[in-house]
Amino acid sequence: MKNVIFISPNFPTNYWQFCHELKANGLNVLGIGDQPYDELSGELKASLNEYYKVSSLENYDEVYRAVAFFIFKHGRIDWLESNNEYWLERDARLRTDFHITSGFQTDDIPRIKYKSKMKEYYTKAGIPVARYHLVDNLEGCLKFIGEVGYPVVVKPDNGVGAVSTYKLGSDEDLKGFLAERTEGVPYIMEEFVHAEVNSYDAIIDSNGEPMFETGNVTPMSIMDIVNELDNSIYYILRDLPEDTRAAGRATVKSFGVRSRFVHFEFFRLTRDQEGLGKKGDVVALEVNMRPCGGFTPDMINFAHSTNVYKIWADMIAFDRSTMPVGEHAYCAFAGRRDGKDFVLSHEEILEKYGAQMKMVDRIPDVLSAAMGNQMYLATFPTKEELDQFYSDILRCR
């Protein structure tokens, strides 16, 4: 029996389903988390063979001892995973320290976590990348801006989501950023790309071949949503465009991805941009070597009448899956921000779109900056119906 350690199986709250499918496949599922066992959901408890509570997942020594205990009790660990961006480096360090070879090691981290280093592998895949500059001083930044012009975007070179990401439009903005930036954090500055974000989401087998593929579109900037406390929308595509599929597969090969659930982000240009391409072209943004966050796995299931939790668990257990993919649709996410004067009340939304609604819930505070406070997931067969849903649900007085 394969032994699988799942780090932080209780968060996000839907990740118990990864553990459920692993256990259903006959694997020995061992959880490590910082939530007391009695507070775990019934579904998660039933999905784990054993759970080890640490006082903090940030404490490497504690987590190290937890893994060592599981090895002492159960033998060799075949897989260790969190499927969580925040713990990618921790996962790799644990694999390296315990010689768990079924995943990224510490030496792999720079190319999959640092935005500046990702560009080399996107370029090898033949995908254009935005010009960039590693932030140093005012003189160096002004020289780069002299080449690309304002606006520019600055963000941590190794960061999660749109946290600490800024759009600078003037020398005054630049000076303000340089004065206020977090000391000791490397930042990357990039030319501004006029685009919407398209993704390639896939489960990759041990040979680097896709077992399942889809994609999503974020028409609004996550950076603006976080910085301006705006509403949040994105949707799973009914059908993955062939150019996104080709770019995604080329990126898999370039980065040497095997046996992973991935979320690769690309720009799709909304106008011609010199040095990058024509309107509609695909340009590299960044790779994420884990599933798209929040409730996106559930959205993928709703959009494609399938179960990606099972496909991922089948990849680990069997390196193949017989999970069917059924009827395709768009699956919309709308995250409404508290305090806005919306035309339609919560009750009116449910009355109008109840037949299409798949999930309605409050968004955890830790995710609300990027996703809003109240979420609605709904499926639609056409883009026109999808657009009308967004128009209705986000319209304010």
Side-chain angles (χ1 to χ4, degrees):
M1 179 186 293
K2 286 185 177 180
N3 293 315
V4 179
I5 291 178
F6 202 100
I7 305 291
S8 187
N10 57 298
F11 188 85
T13 55
N14 50 327
Y15 273 26
W16 68 269
Q17 296 177 79
F18 285 118
C19 298
H20 171 81
E21 298 299 342
L22 288 170
K23 190 174 181 182
N25 280 342
L27 276 61
N28 192 33
V29 186
L30 310 168
I32 300 175
D34 54 14
Q35 187 174 17
Y37 180 78
D38 290 344
E39 296 178 11
L40 300 180
S41 69
E43 294 97 337
L44 177 54
K45 287 179 181 177
S47 302
L48 297 173
N49 294 94
E50 192 168 349
Y51 180 72
Y52 190 114
K53 180 193 174 298
V54 295
S55 62
S56 172
L57 285 170
E58 300 282 359
N59 186 323
Y60 185 77
D61 288 341
E62 270 197 279
V63 180
Y64 182 97
R65 287 196 297 271
V67 176
F69 170 79
F70 281 146
I71 292 173
F72 174 77
K73 184 172 180 179
H74 298 278
R76 183 172 65 89
I77 302 301
D78 298 282
W79 289 83
L80 184 148
E81 189 57 74
S82 68
N83 278 341
N84 193 315
E85 182 77 25
Y86 190 79
W87 301 117
L88 278 182
E89 291 179 70
R90 169 65 51 79
D91 294 348
R93 184 178 174 187
L94 288 167
R95 291 192 202 100
T96 301
D97 287 350
F98 287 101
H99 308 290
I100 303 167
T101 58
S102 54
F104 288 118
Q105 307 291 301
T106 298
D107 289 348
D108 295 313
I109 288 300
R111 66 188 170 88
I112 66 173
K113 284 288 290 177
Y114 286 84
K115 296 172 177 62
S116 58
K117 297 184 185 301
M118 294 175 189
K119 292 178 181 289
E120 174 188 345
Y121 292 87
Y122 268 127
T123 300
K124 285 181 181 177
I127 303 166
V129 299
R131 289 171 288 181
Y132 76 98
H133 170 72
L134 291 176
V135 173
D136 44 12
N137 52 32
L138 179 63
E139 182 181 7
C141 291
L142 286 173
K143 181 180 179 182
F144 174 72
I145 293 167
E147 298 170 4
V148 302
Y150 283 114
V152 293
V153 173
V154 290
K155 51 194 173 185
D157 195 22
N158 179 10
V160 179
V163 175
S164 302
T165 299
Y166 307 97
K167 181 179 176 182
L168 309 180
S170 66
D171 289 357
E172 290 70 29
D173 289 347
L174 173 62
K175 291 173 184 176
F177 162 73
L178 291 173
E180 297 170 10
R181 61 178 163 160
T182 304
E183 198 66 35
V185 174
Y187 281 84
I188 183 173
M189 176 180 289
E190 297 179 295
E191 64 179 310
F192 185 79
V193 181
H194 299 273
E196 65 178 15
V197 176
N198 285 214
S199 77
Y200 173 81
D201 298 83
I203 298 170
I204 308 299
D205 70 13
S206 65
N207 296 311
E209 298 298 329
M211 295 170 57
F212 173 85
E213 299 169 296
T214 186
N216 67 54
V217 171
T218 305
M220 301 168 65
S221 164
I222 296 294
M223 173 179 64
D224 292 340
I225 291 166
V226 171
N227 291 337
E228 299 173 18
L229 294 178
D230 205 349
N231 303 308
S232 173
I233 66 171
Y234 70 99
Y235 55 91
I236 306 297
L237 288 160
R238 186 183 63 190
D239 300 298
L240 182 65
E242 285 306 313
D243 56 356
T244 305
R245 188 190 311 276
R249 290 184 177 186
T251 304
V252 166
K253 300 299 183 189
S254 181
F255 279 84
V257 179
R258 286 174 171 76
S259 303
R260 290 205 71 78
F261 201 143
V262 298
H263 170 66
F264 297 159
E265 294 179 342
F266 299 94
F267 290 120
R268 187 175 294 277
L269 298 180
T270 53
R271 69 189 202 192
D272 295 355
Q273 193 159 346
E274 187 177 354
L276 291 177
K278 300 290 187 182
K279 179 180 178 179
D281 285 354
V282 170
V283 174
L285 177 48
E286 64 183 62
V287 296
N288 300 279
M289 298 297 181
R290 43 76 183 172
C292 187
F295 295 95
T296 306
D298 302 282
M299 293 174 62
I300 294 172
N301 290 346
F302 296 141
H304 301 297
S305 309
T306 192
N307 184 345
V308 293
Y309 298 105
K310 175 168 173 51
I311 297 172
W312 177 82
D314 288 351
M315 177 269 293
I316 289 181
F318 315 119
D319 204 27
R320 58 183 176 79
S321 181
T322 58
M323 183 67 208
V325 175
E327 185 177 350
H328 294 236
Y330 293 93
C331 185
F333 171 93
R336 300 213 303 188
R337 187 75 60 183
D338 289 349
K340 292 183 178 289
D341 188 13
F342 294 104
V343 172
L344 291 184
S345 68
H346 175 72
E347 292 72 23
E348 288 170 327
I349 291 170
L350 297 184
E351 181 178 352
K352 182 168 185 178
Y353 288 105
Q356 291 82 25
M357 206 67 69
K358 297 296 183 182
M359 191 182 294
V360 178
D361 207 346
R362 294 292 294 176
I363 296 171
D365 290 344
V366 70
L367 302 175
S368 63
M371 300 180 71
N373 304 106
Q374 176 65 49
M375 76 158 189
Y376 304 89
L377 302 186
T379 56
F380 301 95
T382 68
K383 182 66 161 49
E384 290 72 25
E385 291 169 280
L386 174 83
D387 291 340
Q388 185 61 53
F389 169 74
Y390 281 134
S391 176
D392 288 343
I393 207 167
L394 299 178
R395 191 164 66 248
C396 290
R397 291 185 172 87

